[in-house]
Amino acid sequence: MAWGSGSINTCDALFKRVESNDSRLVELVILPMKKFGAIEVERLADIITSGKNNMLKSISASGHSIPSDALAKLGASLASEGGREISYIAIGDENMKDEGVESFCSALEAANGGSLESIDFGFKNMTSVGAEAFGMAFGPSNIKRIELYRNRSIGDEGMIKMCSAACIKSEIPFKELEMLDISECDISVEGIQALTKCLIGGDGGNKRSSSIDLNASENPLGSEACTSLGKLISTNAVCKLSLKKCALGDGGILSLVESFKVGKCDVAMLDLSKNEISVKGALDLASSLAKQSSNISNLKEIILSDNQICDDGVLALANALQQSNCHGNETLKVVDLSSTKCGVAGAIAMLKCSSLTSVRLFNNNLGSDGFEALTPLLEGGHPSLEHLDLGGNRAKESAVASLLTAIMVKYEPDISVLRTIELGGNEVGDEVERILKQMEIIRPEIDVARDRPSVEQPNDFQGMQNALQE
């Protein structure tokens, strides 16, 4: 490659490899720095339609502004016999809009989505018009992964139209769907109701072949939408549910908890971060976790960060989990309690839960007192925790040093499984660095993430304290 020749910005070499059916080129990635406009898209479409390539499986070309007529030609090529091997595409930028989405989907609608199994149409500025076209093209398809994130103009109207179009085209719309990302699409109650009806049918029976990883984060759902979300849970339609920053509140949590009591719950991951959940919501959740009759036995991970559930809420959750020589929920493995106002008592209780493998306690102002209280529980490592996040808790260096010294102890037999501990946002200096050098010899299996010391660290540390307290 010669500098100044301009070849670094062209796709010519890549297209020649596609045309020659290069067996090593399975994933075509066209970075934004490359020139990929109408001429280039149409050239690629012609190669695909010709059937000269049967090795290419995916096309990643997000961040390029492409005219609608070129998108129509690319869509037609993917619908053709020559495009039968291509299963993934990410194309276009925020200028794509409804016209571009409709153009791309036009030929694919007649081909029931072609062979595409995964499509990324995130941040394309589509409205309900584009969403409807998408539903017509891919509702009856074998699509497995759909990404529509950051299309804020879809809204409830767009979700209703997409789902209605999909239902018109197929008795079981999106029947192979495994992942759906509709985060930041301004969807609320009516949109979620339409989605629920689409995925599980009007009779409330889930006839789909697999459960879905559903990301509906950062939508104004509110507590009312949780009734519909609960139907997805109780009919085993979702296996992962991300609801970050959806204004669910305690009322929404109660609705979700009620759904755990109906049917079989297949949810393995539940993200409830930033949802204005208080102690009451945490108590309802803890009650459900503690009861085997709640059908929540598949839940492995729960994220509660940035909810003010305080020590009482954390203690209730800990009491619901299995602890040494005590019965309790033993399937939950990962808990994120970052920025929850968890106190020292709650932190201690969580470290005593013998079923947990990962606990995040970031930014809970545990301080040096908290570190000192946790130190006895970490002497010799930990018998069940593989990952522990104590970052952002403003502990002084002496407390950090004592905790690390305790972890470094090695008993025989060594039953510790601790592999990662995060300590960034706590004071680290020469004393801690000396201990860490010893740990590299005595416990090389443990990775310690921390802030690097500097001569100005005390002032910086105090500044961080003040910023976090604000």
Side-chain angles (χ1 to χ4, degrees):
M1 183 180 297
W3 290 104
S5 66
S7 60
I8 190 172
N9 294 322
T10 72
C11 296
D12 186 61
L14 283 172
F15 289 166
K16 286 180 178 177
R17 290 179 63 190
V18 175
E19 197 165 21
S20 66
N21 203 24
D22 187 339
S23 62
R24 297 169 298 174
L25 186 57
V26 178
E27 300 177 358
L28 179 62
V29 180
I30 303 174
L31 299 175
M33 68 181 69
K34 295 283 187 181
K35 183 181 179 183
F36 190 64
I39 294 174
E40 291 77 18
V41 172
E42 290 177 6
R43 179 181 172 186
L44 177 60
D46 286 338
I47 296 171
I48 293 171
T49 304
S50 71
K52 294 178 180 179
N53 187 294
N54 61 7
M55 301 303 299
L56 191 63
K57 307 298 181 187
S58 75
I59 300 170
S60 299
S62 292
H64 297 276
S65 184
I66 302 169
S68 296
D69 53 352
L71 286 167
K73 190 168 185 177
L74 180 61
S77 73
L78 295 174
S80 73
E81 187 68 17
R84 67 186 182 279
E85 297 296 331
I86 299 174
S87 60
Y88 170 82
I89 190 163
I91 196 81
D93 65 0
E94 66 272 21
N95 296 308
M96 192 169 179
K97 300 183 179 179
D98 290 332
E99 184 180 356
V101 174
E102 286 184 295
S103 298
F104 180 84
C105 291
S106 178
L108 285 164
E109 179 185 340
N112 288 335
S115 297
L116 286 176
E117 295 181 357
S118 180
I119 186 166
D120 183 349
F121 266 11
F123 194 32
K124 298 298 180 283
N125 271 334
M126 74 169 80
T127 71
S128 60
V129 176
E132 184 174 27
F134 188 94
M136 294 291 285
F138 294 103
S141 74
N142 292 322
I143 198 85
K144 293 183 178 179
R145 297 177 62 86
I146 297 174
E147 297 181 74
L148 298 175
Y149 57 90
R150 293 184 67 193
N151 283 292
R152 295 184 175 89
S153 295
I154 287 181
D156 285 341
E157 181 183 0
M159 185 55 57
I160 292 169
K161 286 188 174 181
M162 185 182 83
C163 293
S164 297
C167 289
I168 290 171
K169 296 284 289 187
S170 175
E171 183 180 345
I172 308 176
F174 304 116
K175 63 180 181 296
E176 301 291 334
L177 192 62
E178 297 175 358
M179 192 281 284
L180 174 62
D181 187 345
I182 51 171
S183 57
E184 298 183 66
C185 287
D186 200 29
I187 298 165
S188 60
V189 178
E190 292 181 358
I192 289 296
Q193 288 173 341
L195 178 64
T196 299
K197 184 177 179 180
C198 176
L199 294 179
I200 65 176
D203 59 359
N206 179 20
K207 300 176 183 178
R208 299 167 20 75
S209 60
S210 61
S211 298
I212 302 171
D213 174 354
L214 175 61
N215 186 354
S217 296
E218 300 194 48
N219 283 300
L221 302 183
S223 60
E224 190 178 345
C226 290
T227 302
S228 294
L229 291 170
K231 291 179 182 178
L232 291 177
I233 293 172
S234 62
T235 54
N236 205 21
V238 290
C239 58
K240 295 182 180 180
L241 187 55
S242 299
L243 300 171
K244 175 182 178 181
K245 201 175 181 181
C246 289
L248 304 183
D250 293 335
I253 298 305
L254 183 59
S255 294
L256 293 179
V257 165
E258 289 298 316
S259 70
F260 298 154
K261 302 175 183 178
V262 182
K264 182 180 182 294
C265 174
D266 197 37
V267 175
M269 190 283 292
L270 187 58
D271 184 352
L272 298 172
S273 56
K274 294 187 177 182
N275 267 298
E276 303 165 23
I277 303 168
S278 72
V279 175
K280 182 183 182 302
L283 293 176
D284 288 333
L285 186 59
S287 176
S288 181
L289 287 170
K291 295 177 181 177
Q292 297 302 319
S293 60
S294 68
N295 298 318
I296 199 172
S297 59
N298 286 315
L299 187 63
K300 302 293 190 298
E301 177 180 1
I302 188 164
I303 302 172
L304 291 166
S305 57
D306 294 286
N307 290 295
Q308 306 303 298
I309 64 175
C310 304
D311 232 16
D312 287 345
V314 175
L315 286 167
L317 290 168
N319 289 334
L321 305 179
Q322 186 183 58
Q323 302 189 21
S324 300
N325 302 318
C326 295
H327 295 293
N329 184 301
E330 58 185 34
T331 56
L332 192 66
K333 302 298 180 184
V334 179
V335 178
D336 188 343
L337 296 167
S338 302
S339 303
T340 54
K341 291 192 175 179
C342 170
V344 175
I348 291 172
M350 276 294 160
L351 264 63
K352 289 182 178 180
C353 295
S354 58
S355 62
L356 296 179
T357 60
S358 176
V359 174
R360 289 191 177 276
L361 294 167
F362 176 82
N363 191 32
N364 279 301
N365 202 24
L366 297 176
S368 297
D369 289 344
F371 271 52
E372 290 168 3
L374 295 176
T375 294
L377 298 174
L378 292 169
E379 186 173 314
H382 200 281
S384 62
L385 280 183
E386 299 172 11
H387 169 257
L388 177 61
D389 184 357
L390 293 174
N393 277 295
R394 310 161 186 82
K396 294 294 185 180
E397 182 177 21
S398 59
V400 176
S402 295
L403 184 137
L404 290 173
T405 300
I407 292 174
M408 192 164 50
V409 172
K410 201 166 189 178
Y411 293 112
E412 292 296 340
D414 182 13
I415 62 171
S416 175
V417 297
L418 189 62
R419 294 296 178 266
T420 304
I421 181 165
E422 298 183 52
L423 296 172
N426 297 289
E427 194 173 42
V428 172
D430 293 339
E431 182 183 2
V432 167
E433 289 298 320
R434 283 194 297 270
I435 293 170
L436 289 174
K437 288 180 180 178
Q438 295 177 47
M439 284 190 70
E440 290 176 2
I441 299 171
I442 299 173
R443 286 206 173 274
E445 76 277 11
I446 298 180
D447 178 28
V448 181
R450 80 283 189 189
D451 299 326
R452 297 290 177 177
S454 69
V455 293
E456 297 183 356
Q457 185 181 349
N459 291 333
D460 293 341
F461 178 73
Q462 185 60 51
M464 181 207 71
Q465 283 185 309
N466 294 337
L468 287 172
Q469 285 170 351
E470 290 174 0

